[in-house]
Amino acid sequence: MPLLLAAAPPEPHVVLTRRRADLRRHAGEISFPGGRQDAEDATLIDTALREAEEEIGLPREDVHVLGELPSTSTFATNYLIHPFVGQIAASRSWRPSPREVDAVLELPAAALREGMTRTRLQRRGLAFETDAYIVGEHVIWGATARIVAHLLERLDSFIPPSRPAPPRGSPTPSRSRRSS
C-alpha cells in the first residue's frame, strides 16, 4: 500500500490501481498493487514490493516500509491479503502493467475519509449493500475498502508528526527528560 506524502504539512495520498475491465477476476475493481507470493519471494514484504514493481512500476528501493496492517480476507475468492504500508516520494511517473492495470490512482486520505458511505452495488447479476469509499467516480469496496478502513484508523501512527523548522540562526532547543 504505497503512501505519498505531498505538500507541507504532508497530506497523505493512497496509491491504488483500477484493474482492467477484461480480467477474469476482480475486473474493473479498485485495489492495491499486490498478488500471490512466488517461490523466489523470501517474505511477504518481498512479495508486496515485487508486485508493486510489476503492476505500477514502483522500484522496490524507492519504498520505505512503515508497517503492516491486519490481514484481510476476500469473500468471493477466499484470498488472505497481508497489507504492508510503504512511504514513497510524491513526484512519481507510473508505469502500469498493460496486462493487469487500467489506471493508477492517487487519492487523498482526506477524500477517502469524506467518501465513506454505505452503497448499493450490483455484480454478476446480484444486488447487495456494502460499505464503500466513493471519491469522484471511483468506488472502493470489498476487501480493499476494509483495508482502507484499517489504514485510516492507523494513519497518524504511520506519518511522523510535522514540526515547524526553527528560524534560521536560532539555537537548537535542548531536550530535557522528565517523568510524569
Side-chain angles (χ1 to χ4, degrees), residues 1-2 14-21 23 25-34 55-56 74 81 100-107 112 121 123 131-148:
M1 177 182 311
V14 179
V15 178
L16 299 123
T17 65
R18 184 176 59 226
R19 295 173 52 81
R20 287 179 35 145
L23 294 176
R25 292 190 177 186
H26 305 288
E29 293 179 9
I30 295 175
S31 63
F32 293 103
E55 289 186 19
I56 62 175
T74 62
I81 302 167
E100 297 180 63
V101 178
D102 180 51
V104 178
L105 312 173
E106 298 175 8
L107 301 180
L112 287 165
L121 297 176
R123 293 286 186 268
D131 291 331
Y133 293 87
I134 299 177
V135 179
E137 74 275 6
H138 307 297
V139 179
I140 300 157
W141 63 282
T144 304
R146 292 190 302 279
I147 294 168
V148 167

Side-chain angles (χ1 to χ4, degrees), residues 2 46 69 83:
D46 293 328
L69 293 172

Side-chain angles (χ1 to χ4, degrees), residues 11 20 32 37 43 45 55 66 85 89 97 169:
E11 179 185 357
R20 287 179 35 145
F32 293 103
Q37 187 173 26
T43 67
I45 290 175
E55 289 186 19
L66 300 171
V85 179
S97 165

Side-chain angles (χ1 to χ4, degrees), residues 42-62:
T43 67
L44 290 173
I45 290 175
D46 293 328
T47 301
L49 294 171
R50 177 186 51 76
E51 286 284 343
E53 194 164 21
E54 290 175 4
E55 289 186 19
I56 62 175
L58 177 60
R60 304 161 204 234
E61 60 273 5
D62 290 359

